[in-house]
Each structure stands twice: as structure tokens, then as C-alpha cells.
């Protein structure tokens, strides 16, 4: 299950991205990409601004700067529980412009990336990066 929260004062969110059903199809695609290994984690997507994501990044990653997406998992076994995916709309807008694609495509990419982080995947080591990127590409191709 997926929920959507748009933090007060967050600017630049197109109407399509204000519907939780849009996020649901990417959540389902991530689960499909994992097949039988898919966890049962309820995820809340929070669309936010630079200040909030910078504050969270400083508090939890000790990096005093903005970032595009942050993910948190609240559970014990990695297969059940809850998670949060924070997406900075201003960063997403800048990245969409830099990569010359739509904001919707950028938010989808960040969402899928964040969901796989909630699911326990990482990209610190080259092998982890290859696995996570393959899963992301598979999920994005399913929508």
C-alpha cells in the first residue's frame, strides 16, 4: 500500500503528481520486479521542499545539503512494516531540466529508487549498484 503527503508550502507539484494512484502503479511495479521476494511494506511518499530535505539529510546522514530523495524503513524483519520516501520537488525540477526529461519521469525515477532503498537495497558497492539499477530499470519499464 502507498500513501501520499504533500507538505504545506511545497511548490511546483503538477496535478497528476497530486494523486496517490500515480504512485501506486510504481509501487506495484517495484513489487513485480522483485517477484516472490517482494516485501509487504506500506510506504508513505512525502513531497517536500529543499529546506525540509536538507534538515533530514543533516539529521540522518550528517550531510548539511539538499538531496533528491531520502528513504526510511520502520520495521524489524525487512519484509513487513512501514517506510517513508521523501522527494524534494525543487531538486526534482532541477534534475528534470538537467536531464532534459519531464518532471513526472524524474519523480518516477526518484520514487522507484526510494522504494528500493526502503526494501533494503543500496548502491554503495559496484555490485550493489548494478543490482539496484537493474531492479529500478525493470520497475520503470513495467509502467
Amino acid at each position: 500500500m502507498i500513501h501520499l503527503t504533500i507538505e504545506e508550502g511545497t511548490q511546483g507539484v503538477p496535478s497528476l503528481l497530486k494523486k496517490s494512484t500515480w504512485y501506486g502503479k510504481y509501487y506495484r511495479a517495484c513489487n513485480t520486479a522483485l517477484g516472490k521476494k517482494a516485501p509487504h511494506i506500506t510506504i508513505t511518499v512525502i513531497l517536500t521542499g529543499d529546506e525540509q530535505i536538507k534538515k533530514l539529510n543533516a539529521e540522518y546522514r550528517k550531510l548539511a545539503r539538499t538531496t533528491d530523495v531520502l528513504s526510511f524503513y520502520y520495521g524489524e524483519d525487512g519484509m513487513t512494516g512501514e517506510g517513508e520516501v521523501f522527494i524534494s520537488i525543487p531538486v526534482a525540477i532541477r534534475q528534470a531540466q538537467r536531464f532534459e526529461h519531464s518532471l513526472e519521469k524524474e519523480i518516477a525515477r526518484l520514487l522507484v529508487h526510494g522504494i528500493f532503498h526502503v526494501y533494503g537495497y543500496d548502491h554503495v558497492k559496484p555490485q550493489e549498484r548494478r543490482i539496484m539499477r537493474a531492479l529500478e530499470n525493470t520497475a520503470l519499464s513495467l509502467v
Side-chain angles (χ1 to χ4, degrees):
M1 181 180 289
I2 197 155
H3 302 283
L4 174 64
T5 300
I6 302 172
E7 291 196 331
E8 189 175 330
T10 302
Q11 303 284 319
V13 182
S15 59
L16 173 67
L17 298 179
K18 293 179 180 179
K19 299 176 183 177
S20 61
T21 53
W22 187 87
Y23 299 86
K25 63 186 175 183
Y26 290 98
Y27 173 78
R28 288 186 298 279
C30 290
N31 290 340
T32 299
L34 288 172
K36 292 180 182 178
K37 297 186 291 184
H40 300 284
I41 298 173
T42 299
I43 295 179
T44 300
V45 178
I46 300 101
L47 303 182
T48 191
D50 280 346
E51 285 306 310
Q52 177 65 8
I53 208 148
K54 183 178 180 180
K55 183 189 302 184
L56 291 168
N57 206 22
E59 182 177 345
Y60 293 100
R61 296 180 64 221
K62 307 302 181 220
L63 298 171
R65 63 176 191 251
T66 61
T67 189
D68 51 6
V69 62
L70 286 173
S71 300
F72 301 95
Y73 169 66
Y74 311 105
E76 295 181 16
D77 62 3
M79 294 301 290
T80 59
E82 296 183 8
E84 293 179 319
V85 176
F86 287 82
I87 298 174
S88 170
I89 293 299
V91 173
I93 290 169
R94 292 190 295 270
Q95 288 179 174
Q97 291 168 344
R98 185 172 72 226
F99 298 132
E100 298 180 346
H101 57 231
S102 70
L103 178 59
E104 289 82 2
K105 183 174 182 176
E106 184 63 17
I107 297 289
R109 188 184 69 78
L110 296 174
L111 174 64
V112 166
H113 185 82
I115 289 172
F116 282 118
H117 272 306
V118 169
Y119 287 176
Y121 290 86
D122 210 341
H123 48 82
V124 175
K125 298 176 184 171
Q127 179 63 15
E128 293 173 333
R129 189 171 18 263
R130 282 190 290 277
I131 291 168
M132 190 167 173
R133 184 63 47 93
L135 287 168
E136 290 171 353
N137 289 338
T138 298
L140 288 167
S141 74
L142 293 171
V143 178

